[in-house]
Amino acid sequence: MEAYPEAASLTNNYGNLALHFTAWKKGPLDVERLLLKVFPEGAAQKNNHGNLPLHYAAHYNAPLEVVEALYHAYPEGAQQKNNDNNTPLDLAIADGASPNVVALLQGKTVPPTDDEVLQGAKARCERAEKEMARLLSAQDGMHDDLEIVLSLLMDIREHHPHSLYSAGVHPAQITSMDALLDQVCNTVLIYVILCCLPTLSAIVSKK
């Protein structure tokens, strides 16, 4: 196709394009999409019998995806009649096409295909994974902040122990980082300190 794209617009003695044959053979879908990309007008081109590619796709029970590509390329084709006075919709109903194909040709909303459902589920999972990663990252940041706060408090205990009493922390009971954490967890001090890290850092730096 790359070497001779004009081939997509050529017809045989019966007026059939390559797109007619692709619809008749029910795909493959990637070939059909390529033909439509190279020669989109082909979706609206009838052969000598008045058949659009969509007539063949409907008549030969092509998969929904194949019919859908042709329909979206030329929606009006669903109501176009061939030389036998049949529309693609007529042929789809007469030849037992799937309910989704019939609904599509009727212009109704078609339920998502299994592949679309799968892709949607994968997209939701990816969004959930990103959100989980964001939350975990935020949690890591909070853990780092907590370590900074506890280190600052240990410094304050060492050089300004009296300043901890007003916050409900008893310097004499702080024998380790864990002991300090136990006291902090029982007060609201941690919330205040997290908002005031710059001020605390300045106090410690002046000791």
Side-chain angles (χ1 to χ4, degrees):
M1 189 61 66
E2 290 181 3
Y4 188 44
E6 293 82 2
S9 61
L10 298 180
T11 60
N12 64 7
N13 293 336
Y14 300 98
N16 289 316
L17 296 163
L19 191 59
H20 284 89
F21 285 105
T22 306
W24 173 30
K25 294 297 184 180
K26 309 176 185 180
L29 182 60
D30 57 343
V31 173
E32 180 188 51
R33 286 175 173 166
L34 178 59
L35 291 169
L36 286 169
K37 180 179 179 180
V38 173
F39 185 56
E41 297 87 351
Q45 187 164 319
K46 293 183 177 182
N47 63 13
N48 296 350
H49 298 286
N51 288 311
L52 296 166
L54 188 59
H55 280 92
Y56 281 164
H59 178 52
Y60 291 104
N61 289 324
L64 174 63
E65 294 81 3
V66 171
V67 179
E68 198 168 34
L70 293 168
Y71 175 80
H72 288 315
Y74 183 50
E76 298 86 350
Q79 302 301 324
Q80 292 288 314
K81 295 181 178 181
N82 61 14
N83 295 353
D84 294 322
N85 211 36
N86 288 317
T87 66
L89 176 59
D90 295 330
L91 297 176
I93 295 172
D95 295 308
S98 72
N100 283 353
V101 167
V102 172
L104 174 68
L105 295 176
Q106 289 174 332
K108 297 179 180 178
T109 301
V110 178
T113 63
D114 291 343
D115 184 59
E116 289 171 335
V117 171
L118 177 60
Q119 292 302 318
K122 286 175 64 177
R124 288 192 294 274
C125 286
E126 288 173 1
R127 288 196 297 271
E129 288 175 0
K130 289 179 180 178
E131 181 65 13
M132 182 66 71
R134 186 188 67 78
L135 291 174
L136 289 175
S137 176
Q139 188 177 45
D140 289 342
M142 290 179 63
H143 179 73
D144 293 341
D145 285 347
L146 180 60
E147 288 188 349
I148 293 172
V149 167
L150 292 178
S151 296
L152 288 171
L153 288 175
M154 288 297 282
D155 255 352
I156 293 173
R157 169 190 171 276
E158 183 71 23
H159 301 93
H160 309 281
H162 60 278
S163 64
L164 296 177
Y165 283 108
S166 60
V169 177
H170 301 280
Q173 297 177 9
I174 301 175
T175 57
S176 66
M177 194 74 81
D178 287 339
L180 173 59
L181 181 59
D182 287 340
Q183 287 206 49
V184 168
C185 287
N186 292 325
T187 69
V188 297
L189 178 64
I190 191 67
Y191 299 102
V192 176
I193 294 174
L194 284 173
C195 297
C196 303
L197 277 177
T199 303
L200 281 173
S201 298
I203 292 174
V204 173
S205 65
K206 293 177 180 178
K207 65 181 184 288

